[in-house]
C-alpha cells in the first residue's frame, strides 16, 4: 500500500542521509583530486601552482609507493586467508559439543574488541620483544633462537596482529551461521552416515556462502584502512601501506599535492576491490 | 562402547578448543596480569606468570601522569555523541527504506553502503585542512561529525535490517488511522524497534570507541580519546611495560565487557541480518 503520499514522505526521510553522505564523499574527494594536481607544500604556501600529473609521476615512480601498494594488498590478502580459513576451522570446532563452550567463545571473541593502538603496543612490547617478550621465552624454551620480529619481519608482525583481531570476528559470524543450520539436515546427514569430508563440502560450506561473503566484505573495508597498528609500532618505513604513506607524505612532510595523489590511488584501489565485493554481495544477499 | 567413545571424543575436542581459546585470549590475559606487576617484574626473564607482588600502583600512576579519566571521558563523548547523532539521520532513512520505498530502494541502499568503501585517506588531507582553517582540529565537535559520517552507512543498513522484520500491516494500520510521518515513526515504529535500535547503538559505540584513523590524525590533546592516550605510550621512557599494561587494560575493559554482553546482537548487526 505504498501511495504517492508515503513515497514523498519516504524521500523526505531519506534526503538528509543522502545529502550528508554525498557531501562527505564528494567534497573531500573533489578537493583531494584538485590538490593532487597542484604543487602544494604547507611549508611553502606561496608556491602553490598547477602541475598536472606531476605528483602522480613522482608518486608512481617512487619504489616506496609500490612497496606501500604491495603492503596494502598483502595485509588484506593474508588477513582474509587466516581469518576465513581459521574462522571456518574454529567454528567447526566450537560447533561440537564441548565442555564450557560459552567460556571458550568469550575467550575467542575477545581480541575483536581490543582497540588497534592497544594491540599494537601490547604485541610489540609484551609479546614480541626479542629479549623479554613472551614469544622470545617460548622460542628459547623450545631451543630456538628468538626472533626480532619488528627488525626482521615487520610486515609479518603487522599481519599477525591484525589477523589476531579479525579471526575472532570471522569465527563468531561463521559459528552463529553454522548453529542455524537446520537440526533436521544434520540429523538426516547423521542417519545417512554422511562422511565428514563430503558433508563439509556438500552441506556446510554452501550454507556458509552468505556469511562468508559478509565476512569478506566487512573485513576488506577495514583491512584496506589499517593504520594504527603501523603508526603506533613505528613500522611505517618497511611495512607502511597506502594509508600510512598518505599520512606520512601529507602530515609529516607537508606535501599536500603528493599525499593527495597517494590518496587518489588508494581510492582507486578500494574501488577495484569494491566492484568485486558489491557484485558478490548483490548476488548473495538478494534473497 | 559407543557412548564411551563419544565421551573421549568430547574430552579431546574440549581440550583442543580450550587450548586455542586460551592462546587467542592470552595477549589480553597477559596484559591484565602485567598491569599488576612492578616494572621490574614486568620486564623479568623468564616471565613471571602468577607469582609476583601484586600492586595497584600502575593504575594510580597512569591517572596521575597521563590523565586516563580525561581521555576516557572523551572516548565516551565521541562514541556516544557520534552514534546518537547518526541515529537522528539513520532512523528516518531506514524507516523510509522499510516502509515507504521508492522505486530505487536497492540502488540507493547499495550506494549508501558503497560510501563506506571510500578509504578515509582519500579524505584525510582536505578534512585536515578544512578543520585547520575552521579551528575544528582537536575539537570534540569535529570528531563527532567525522565519526558520525563514518558510521552512518552501517547504521542505516543495520536499522533497515531490523525494521523490515516489523510487520508492515501494523505500520499501515496506523496510516489508515491518519498518523502523520513523524507520528508514525515516533509512536508506532520506535516502540517496536527499541531492541534493534539499542543493538545498533551498542555496536556503533564499539566501532567508534576503537576508531583509530581519524582520532589519531585529527586530535592532539583536548579532544583526544583513549586511542591517542595509548599511542602516547609508544615512545618508551625507561621501564614502562607495567604502566603500558595498566593503561591498555583500562582502555579496553569497558568495550570488552560491553562486547561480551553484546555478542549476539553483534553478529546480527554486522551482517545486516544475514546471519542470526
Amino acid at each position: 500500500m505504498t501511495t504517492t503520499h508515503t513515497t514523498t514522505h519516504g524521500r523526505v526521510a531519506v534526503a538528509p542521509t543522502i545529502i550528508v553522505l554525498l557531501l562527505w564523499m564528494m567534497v573531500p574527494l573533489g578537493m583531494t583530486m584538485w590538490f593532487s594536481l597542484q604543487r602544494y607544500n604547507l611549508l611553502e604556501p606561496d608556491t602553490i601552482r598547477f602541475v598536472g600529473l606531476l605528483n602522480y609521476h613522482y608518486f608512481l615512480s617512487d619504489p616506496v609507493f609500490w612497496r606501500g601498494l604491495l603492503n596494502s594488498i598483502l595485509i588484506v590478502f593474508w588477513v582474509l586467508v587466516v581469518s576465513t580459513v581459521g574462522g571456518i576451522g574454529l567454528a567447526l570446532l566450537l560447533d561440537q559439543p564441548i565442555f564450557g563452550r560459552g567460556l571458550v567463545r568469550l575467550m575467542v571473541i575477545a581480541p575483536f574488541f581490543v582497540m588497534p593502538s592497544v594491540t599494537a603496543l601490547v604485541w610489540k612490547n609484551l609479546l614480541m620483544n626479542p629479549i623479554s617478550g613472551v614469544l622470545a621465552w617460548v622460542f628459547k624454551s623450545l631451543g630456538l633462537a628468538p626472533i626480532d620480529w619488528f627488525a626482521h619481519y615487520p610486515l609479518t608482525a603487522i599481519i599477525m596482529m591484525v589477523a589476531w583481531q579479525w579471526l575472532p570476528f570471522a569465527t563468531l559470524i561463521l559459528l552463529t551461521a553454522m548453529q542455524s543450520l537446520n537440526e533436521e539436515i544434520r540429523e538426516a546427514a547423521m542417519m545417512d552416515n554422511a562422511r565428514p569430508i563430503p558433508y563439509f563440502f556438500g552441506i556446510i560450506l554452501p550454507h556458509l556462502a552468505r556469511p562468508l561473503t559478509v565476512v569478506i566484505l566487512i573485513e576488506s573495508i577495514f583491512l584496506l584502512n589499517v593504520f594504527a597498528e603501523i603508526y603506533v609500532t613505528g613500522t611505517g618505513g618497511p611495512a607502511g601501506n597506502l594509508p600510512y604513506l598518505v599520512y606520512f607524505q601529507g602530515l609529516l612532510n607537508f606535501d599536500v599535492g603528493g599525499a593527495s595523489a597517494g590518496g587518489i590511488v588508494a581510492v582507486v584501489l578500494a574501488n577495484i576491490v569494491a566492484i568485486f565485493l558489491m557484485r558478490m554481495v548483490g548476488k548473495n544477499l538478494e534473497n | 562402547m559407543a557412548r564411551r567413545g563419544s565421551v573421549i571424543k568430547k574430552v579431546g575436542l574440549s581440550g583442543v578448543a580450550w587450548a586455542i581459546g586460551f592462546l587467542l585470549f592470552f595477549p589480553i590475559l597477559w596484559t591484565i596480569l602485567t598491569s599488576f606487576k612492578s616494572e621490574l617484574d614486568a620486564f623479568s626473564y623468564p616471565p613471571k606468570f602468577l607469582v609476583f607482588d601484586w600492586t595497584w600502583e600502575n593504575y594510580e600512576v597512569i591517572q596521575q601522569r597521563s590523565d586516563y579519566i580525561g581521555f576516557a571521558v572523551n572516548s565516551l563523548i565521541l562514541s556516544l555523541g557520534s552514534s546518537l547523532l547518526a541515529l537522528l539521520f539513520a532512523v528516518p532513512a531506514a524507516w523510509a527504506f522499510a516502509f515507504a520505498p521508492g522505486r530505487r530502494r536497492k540502488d540507493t541502499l547499495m550506494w549508501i553502503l558503497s560510501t563506506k568503501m571510500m578509504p578515509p585517506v582519500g579524505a584525510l588531507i582536505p578534512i585536515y585542512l578544512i578543520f585547520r582553517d575552521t579551528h575544528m582540529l582537536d575539537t570534540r565537535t569535529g570528531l563527532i561529525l567525522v565519526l558520525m559520517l563514518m558510521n552512518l552507512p552501517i547504521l542505516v543498513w543495520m536499522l533497515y535490517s531490523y525494521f523490515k522484520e516489523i510487520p508492515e500491516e501494523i505500520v499501515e494500520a496506523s496510516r489508515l488511522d491518519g498518523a502523520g510521518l513523524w507520528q508514525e515513526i515516533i509512536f508506532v515504529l520506535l516502540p517496536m524497534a527499541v531492541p534493534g535500535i539499542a543493538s545498533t547503538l551498542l555496536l556503533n559505540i564499539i566501532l567508534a570507541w576503537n576508531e583509530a584513523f581519524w582520532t589519531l590524525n585529527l586530535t592532539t590533546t583536548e579532544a583526544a580519546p583513549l586511542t591517542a592516550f595509548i599511542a602516547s605510550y609508544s615512545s618508551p621512557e625507561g621501564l614502562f611495560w607495567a604502566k603500558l599494561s595498566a593503561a591498555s587494560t583500562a582502555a579496553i575493559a569497558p568495550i570488552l565487557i560491553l562486547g561480551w554482553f553484546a555478542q549476539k546482537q553483534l553478529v546480527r548487526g554486522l551482517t545486516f541480518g544475514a546471519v542470526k
Side-chain angles (χ1 to χ4, degrees):
Chain A
M1 198 203 67
T2 313
T3 59
T4 37
H5 191 58
T6 46
T7 313
T8 317
H9 275 166
R11 289 213 185 105
V12 173
V14 176
T17 297
I18 303 275
I19 292 169
V20 293
L21 282 177
L22 205 60
L23 286 175
W24 169 240
M25 279 249 293
M26 301 317 284
V27 173
L29 192 62
M31 286 173 76
T32 306
M33 275 185 191
W34 178 239
F35 289 153
S36 76
L37 303 174
Q38 316 273 323
R39 181 192 182 317
Y40 183 175
N41 191 304
L42 288 176
L43 296 180
E44 305 159 37
D46 304 330
T47 61
I48 301 176
R49 62 188 161 85
F50 188 81
V51 291
L53 296 174
L54 200 61
N55 284 319
Y56 291 93
H57 177 73
Y58 282 140
F59 214 84
L60 297 178
S61 58
D62 187 348
V64 171
F65 159 77
W66 292 102
R67 185 73 236 171
L69 182 66
L70 185 66
N71 285 343
S72 269
I73 294 170
L74 286 175
I75 292 173
V76 175
F77 176 78
W78 281 114
V79 176
L80 277 180
V81 168
V82 172
S83 62
T84 50
V85 175
I88 291 174
L90 262 176
L92 277 174
L93 179 64
L94 294 182
D95 193 34
Q96 307 295 320
I98 52 171
F99 297 108
R101 181 155 69 184
L103 240 112
V104 177
R105 225 175 115 121
L106 285 187
M107 292 199 291
V108 169
I109 181 68
F112 183 63
F113 302 114
V114 176
M115 64 174 66
S117 35
V118 166
T119 304
L121 285 185
V122 165
W123 277 74
K124 183 180 180 186
N125 294 297
L126 274 59
L127 301 177
M128 287 177 161
N129 181 292
I131 297 160
S132 322
V134 175
L135 282 177
W137 174 73
V138 171
F139 274 72
K140 276 189 213 163
S141 308
L142 295 173
L144 302 166
I147 297 173
D148 189 348
W149 293 94
F150 283 92
H152 298 126
Y153 307 102
L155 188 65
T156 312
I158 299 287
I159 290 173
M160 282 167 70
M161 295 190 307
V162 179
W164 177 69
Q165 292 188 294
W166 286 98
L167 173 63
F169 172 75
T171 307
L172 183 65
I173 288 190
L174 296 174
L175 176 61
T176 313
M178 237 177 245
Q179 286 171 337
S180 74
L181 187 62
N182 201 324
E183 270 304 312
E184 284 166 33
I185 298 177
R186 285 170 192 247
E187 274 167 24
M190 294 279 268
M191 294 291 221
D192 291 348
N193 243 334
R195 302 206 154 261
I197 291 172
Y199 174 66
F200 174 75
F201 284 102
I203 296 177
I204 298 210
L205 212 52
H207 178 74
L208 292 183
R210 239 156 88 105
L212 267 174
T213 311
V214 182
V215 167
I216 293 173
L217 169 77
I218 305 256
E219 287 197 10
S220 306
I221 291 177
F222 284 91
L223 294 176
L224 275 171
N225 300 317
V226 164
F227 175 73
E229 289 85 349
I230 298 169
Y231 168 85
V232 175
T233 54
T235 41
N241 57 356
L242 283 179
Y244 182 84
L245 284 188
V246 172
Y247 149 81
F248 183 81
Q249 199 64 12
L251 302 190
L252 290 185
N253 282 350
F254 306 109
D255 174 11
V256 170
S260 299
I264 294 299
V265 176
V267 172
V268 171
L269 175 67
N271 272 297
I272 295 173
V273 177
I275 291 170
F276 270 118
L277 290 174
M278 286 305 182
R279 284 232 184 102
M280 204 163 78
V281 175
K283 242 187 247 158
N284 267 321
L285 296 187
E286 202 94 296
N287 30 31
Chain B
M1 273 314 275
R3 174 167 282 174
R4 183 135 171 242
S6 76
V7 168
I8 291 172
K9 192 180 154 203
K10 187 172 174 180
V11 171
L13 285 173
S14 301
V16 177
W18 275 88
I20 295 178
F22 180 77
L23 270 181
L24 283 172
F25 188 62
F26 181 78
I28 299 172
L29 180 67
W30 188 241
T31 310
I32 299 172
L33 286 176
T34 308
S35 75
F36 291 106
K37 294 177 185 171
S38 68
E39 290 294 356
L40 269 178
D41 281 341
F43 207 74
S44 75
Y45 183 91
K48 294 186 175 171
F49 284 91
L50 288 168
V51 187
F52 52 84
D53 292 325
W54 291 65
T55 169
W56 280 100
E57 196 196 339
N58 299 308
Y59 287 92
E60 287 161 25
V61 174
I62 58 160
Q63 175 53 28
Q64 280 162 12
R65 261 226 223 141
S66 34
D67 187 25
Y68 164 77
I69 291 175
F71 287 91
V73 166
N74 277 339
S75 272
L76 195 67
I77 292 176
L78 295 182
S79 51
L80 200 62
S82 64
S83 302
L84 287 174
L85 186 62
L87 271 186
L88 281 185
F89 285 86
V91 168
W95 165 82
F97 287 128
F99 302 115
R103 260 168 302 155
R104 319 186 63 181
R105 165 167 70 182
K106 204 187 143 212
D107 291 340
T108 319
L109 271 167
M110 281 319 242
W111 178 79
I112 286 180
L113 187 60
S114 75
T115 64
K116 190 68 199 158
M117 296 297 300
M118 153 111 164
V121 278
L124 172 65
I125 303 291
I127 296 292
Y128 186 86
L129 294 177
I130 292 173
F131 273 33
R132 187 196 60 181
D133 296 340
T134 54
H135 304 288
M136 294 240 280
L137 275 183
D138 203 18
T139 62
R140 290 173 189 158
T141 322
L143 265 183
I144 285 179
L145 280 178
V146 168
L147 292 179
M148 182 285 257
L149 289 162
M150 280 284 296
N151 287 335
L152 184 54
I154 293 189
L155 259 115
V156 171
W157 268 76
M158 283 179 64
L159 286 175
Y160 168 65
S161 79
Y162 283 108
F163 286 0
K164 74 179 177 197
E165 284 180 5
I166 293 172
E168 215 168 333
E169 293 77 27
I170 299 180
V171 179
E172 277 170 8
S174 79
R175 277 180 205 165
L176 290 180
D177 290 343
L181 168 64
W182 296 112
Q183 285 168 317
E184 181 179 319
I185 293 183
I186 295 172
F187 296 112
V188 183
L189 176 65
L190 288 190
M192 283 188 292
V194 166
I197 293 174
S199 321
T200 307
L201 193 64
L202 194 66
L203 187 66
N204 277 277
I205 289 173
I206 295 177
L207 288 177
W209 184 280
N210 287 343
E211 202 289 325
F213 181 77
W214 292 108
T215 51
L216 287 175
N217 277 312
L218 296 180
T219 66
T220 45
T221 46
E222 286 299 307
L226 289 168
T227 46
F229 164 78
I230 292 298
S232 73
Y233 279 80
S234 60
S235 37
E237 308 150 17
L239 293 179
F240 72 113
W241 285 11
K243 282 180 229 72
L244 166 66
S245 299
S248 299
T249 306
I252 63 174
I255 287 304
L256 188 57
I257 292 165
L258 210 59
W260 272 341
F261 280 112
Q263 275 188 72
K264 282 226 174 72
Q265 289 87 325
L266 185 96
V267 174
R268 194 193 182 293
L270 270 179
T271 58
F272 310 125
V275 178
K276 280 171 213 164

